[in-house]
Amino acid sequence: MANYAALFEDEDDIFGGSPKSKFMDVVFNANNDIVRQELEAFIEKVAVMELLLEEHVGEDIMKAIESYKVQNQDLCDTKAKSIFVELMGSVLSQSE
């Protein structure tokens, strides 16, 4: 039964949606300039993290990422939700 928990995530969430679905709502309805600014900052952050990872792991970072993801799926899912909430908060705080 636990395998189906993700299907009902939106219904169980106190805010009426998953972090991903709420993030999408915010991104599509917020000020376009603010969203662009936040996405650009996020991409720059990802670029730096990829370069750092490349220095420590080598050129085949996609293999390292996939391996880590397989071994730490729950942790990765939790972190992804946290990032959706963080980005949504950044957009909303500038949209007031």
Side-chain angles (χ1 to χ4, degrees):
M1 191 65 113
N3 293 340
Y4 299 106
L7 294 174
F8 304 107
E9 182 176 36
D10 284 356
E11 292 176 25
D12 293 338
D13 193 283
I14 191 169
F15 300 111
S18 66
K20 180 180 178 179
S21 68
K22 292 315 221 179
F23 170 78
M24 294 301 175
D25 288 344
V26 167
V27 166
F28 290 119
N29 292 299
N31 179 294
N32 196 14
D33 292 333
I34 293 171
V35 172
R36 286 175 190 241
Q37 178 183 348
E38 286 302 314
L39 289 176
E40 286 175 9
F42 181 75
I43 295 299
E44 287 177 17
K45 184 178 174 181
V46 170
V48 170
M49 286 190 275
E50 280 196 15
L51 290 169
L52 284 169
L53 186 59
E54 198 172 271
E55 284 180 14
H56 294 281
V57 176
E59 292 292 321
D60 198 5
I61 61 173
M62 289 311 296
K63 184 178 179 182
I65 290 170
E66 284 302 316
S67 175
Y68 186 86
K69 185 177 175 183
V70 167
Q71 295 171 9
N72 300 283
Q73 188 64 52
D74 289 341
L75 184 62
C76 292
D77 290 344
T78 300
K79 185 64 176 178
K81 288 177 184 177
S82 175
I83 291 170
F84 279 125
V85 171
E86 179 184 337
L87 284 172
M88 181 175 51
S90 294
V91 170
L92 289 174
S93 68
Q94 295 178 57
S95 297
E96 297 177 340

